[in-house]
Amino acid sequence: MEKKKIKHFQSALQEIRMEIVGGVEKSQNNGKKEEAEQMPDISDDAARAYDRKLQGDLEEQEWKKLKQVEAALEKIEVGEYGICNQCEKDIPTARLKIVPYTEFCTQCLSNIETNGTLDDQKTQYTREP
Ligand SMILES: [Zn+2]
């Protein structure tokens, strides 16, 4: 993929990440400000707990999305962005424009939706008749 395009997707991904993480921080400030002020010595714990807390505060779907966004940003770093996790073919740019953090091409995604999730994520293969 062209570097220019990758840059575009990179900033789109960073924006999505900011939206997810920023939304949580905003709601924390509204609801838990007093609590934080009563604990002045939390810098170490705070850093460690941050990830867990974030996970607890986010809807499961949002959390998944955040992980996908981060994975996509990592892929950009190593130059593998836009490659399907399953079949390792290029994901169509048109699809990346809609879902820049997608991990699979359209074909694999529809396979996943038909057969359940891949790998170890969830082993509940409830196949419709
Ligand atoms: Zn694929």
Side-chain angles (χ1 to χ4, degrees):
M1 197 186 291
E2 293 165 45
K3 278 187 178 171
K4 203 175 136 193
K5 273 188 192 168
I6 290 176
K7 271 240 181 286
H8 167 82
F9 286 122
Q10 189 175 26
S11 63
L13 284 161
Q14 281 164 345
E15 232 166 79
I16 296 168
R17 187 170 61 178
M18 281 306 291
E19 259 172 47
I20 299 172
V21 178
V24 171
E25 281 172 352
K26 216 183 237 176
S27 72
Q28 276 175 357
N29 284 344
N30 288 340
K32 297 172 184 170
K33 207 178 174 183
E34 282 177 32
E35 194 185 316
E37 280 170 358
Q38 285 165 5
M39 297 186 291
D41 217 40
I42 52 160
S43 51
D44 274 1
D45 283 341
R48 240 173 300 154
Y50 181 73
D51 212 43
R52 252 179 305 159
K53 194 181 182 107
L54 197 58
Q55 185 173 13
D57 285 354
L58 287 171
E59 298 285 331
E60 195 189 332
Q61 227 176 342
E62 288 286 284
W63 178 251
K64 267 189 193 168
K65 191 165 136 185
L66 180 65
K67 289 287 135 188
Q68 285 176 320
V69 168
E70 284 176 351
L73 284 166
E74 273 171 36
K75 279 183 167 186
I76 289 175
E77 293 290 323
V78 295
E80 288 175 4
Y81 180 67
I83 296 167
C84 174
N85 269 4
Q86 180 65 11
C87 67
E88 297 182 351
K89 286 179 188 159
D90 286 347
I91 300 168
T93 312
R95 173 154 175 75
L96 290 169
K97 274 181 185 161
I98 304 164
V99 191
Y101 50 85
T102 189
E103 297 171 298
F104 304 105
C105 69
T106 325
Q107 185 58 50
C108 289
L109 200 70
S110 85
N111 288 346
I112 293 161
E113 276 165 6
T114 315
N115 301 322
T117 50
L118 290 165
D119 299 334
D120 54 3
Q121 289 177 7
K122 261 177 196 169
T123 39
Q124 292 170 340
Y125 293 120
T126 45
R127 205 173 288 197
E128 298 292 330

